[in-house]
Amino acid sequence: MPEDEQETSGISRKHFIVAAGVGALAVPAALSAAGPASARVRPEAGRLLTPTPKCTDGDSTATPSQMEGPYFKPNSPERADLTTPGMPGTKLTVSGIVYSQSCKPINRALLDFWQADNNGNYDNTGFTLRGHQYTDAQGRFTLTTIVPGLYPGRTRHIHVKLQAPGRSILTTQTYFPNEPRNQTDSLYDPRLLMKVTSGPNGRDAVIDFVLRVP
Ligand SMILES: [Fe+2]
């Protein structure tokens, strides 16, 4: 039975092996443009153009960080589908876009996911329900997985680390709406709620992330 997750200050850096290889990547030219697009207003033919719209989640505030917890493992396999044939649980697809703070989609952003299985257990010996992937040129990602089970002390959640090429790592978690334990889990943050719909083949969840990239 997994133990409750405890905050462990200073635990983060030693686990960033997956991200370490990514950190050497050059920042794409699109990300190095001076100044946030939302702050630029370009004159054209004597009038001002509308500034770049805010990010689709309603603001361009960076996604808040959350504790890593005790179950992260470095060197997860690169894969967008964490399921295996016959894996118990409700199928779940998580998709979204990774943005910069100026609402530009980030190409080749790393997302490293890990989560509990249907019974609320983490695989601490192998890599079941662990995997990393990269966004496409439009900043998009799609994760195929199952709805994580509950375990003592926590509401339902998925862990993820994100990193824009050459930038610092964001460690956070995502949450499910209408979960009774959202009211009692002190880590729960409504800013990290996914929009979840149910269909004949499982659930679809959507969440966008905003990284601290100009
Ligand atoms: Fe967890």
Side-chain angles (χ1 to χ4, degrees):
M1 181 68 70
E3 300 173 357
D4 294 0
E5 290 175 340
Q6 301 293 325
E7 184 160 15
T8 49
S9 60
I11 193 172
S12 300
R13 290 191 179 280
K14 66 181 179 183
H15 290 308
F16 286 168
I17 294 177
V18 163
V22 180
L25 293 177
V27 177
L31 298 181
S32 60
S38 58
R40 293 199 303 271
V41 180
R42 288 163 292 186
E44 183 177 282
R47 64 186 179 85
L48 298 179
L49 299 179
T50 303
T52 301
K54 292 183 177 180
C55 296
T56 54
D57 68 349
D59 62 61
S60 57
T61 303
T63 301
S65 64
Q66 292 239 295
M67 72 170 64
E68 179 181 273
Y71 303 121
F72 176 70
K73 283 181 64 176
N75 300 318
S76 70
E78 182 176 352
R79 59 188 177 191
D81 185 350
L82 305 185
T83 65
T84 54
M87 176 179 279
T90 301
K91 187 177 178 183
L92 171 69
T93 300
V94 181
S95 61
I97 298 174
V98 180
Y99 289 105
S100 68
Q101 284 190 282
S102 55
C103 299
K104 293 175 184 171
I106 300 176
N107 182 31
R108 292 287 293 172
L110 167 74
L111 300 102
D112 193 358
F113 292 98
W114 72 105
Q115 67 167 84
D117 66 14
N118 189 50
N119 293 317
N121 295 311
Y122 288 83
D123 180 5
N124 296 313
T125 55
F127 289 95
T128 302
L129 292 170
R130 301 173 185 271
H132 71 273
Q133 60 177 287
Y134 299 89
T135 55
D136 67 12
Q138 285 75 47
R140 298 174 299 192
F141 70 92
T142 300
L143 174 72
T144 300
T145 184
I146 59 163
V147 176
L150 293 166
Y151 60 92
R154 293 303 317 276
T155 190
R156 207 177 305 278
H157 64 281
I158 296 175
H159 296 267
V160 60
K161 287 181 182 286
L162 299 101
Q163 184 187 32
R167 299 286 181 162
S168 60
I169 296 167
L170 170 69
T171 301
T172 192
Q173 305 181 27
T174 66
Y175 295 96
F176 295 75
N178 305 315
E179 289 285 337
R181 289 196 193 177
N182 288 350
Q183 308 305 316
T184 57
D185 186 337
S186 61
L187 291 181
Y188 168 74
D189 187 332
R191 294 174 295 177
L192 295 166
L193 266 180
M194 299 184 289
K195 295 174 182 172
V196 181
T197 56
S198 295
N201 298 316
R203 298 186 198 173
D204 289 317
V206 176
I207 186 167
D208 295 334
F209 298 97
V210 180
L211 302 184
R212 293 189 181 280
V213 172

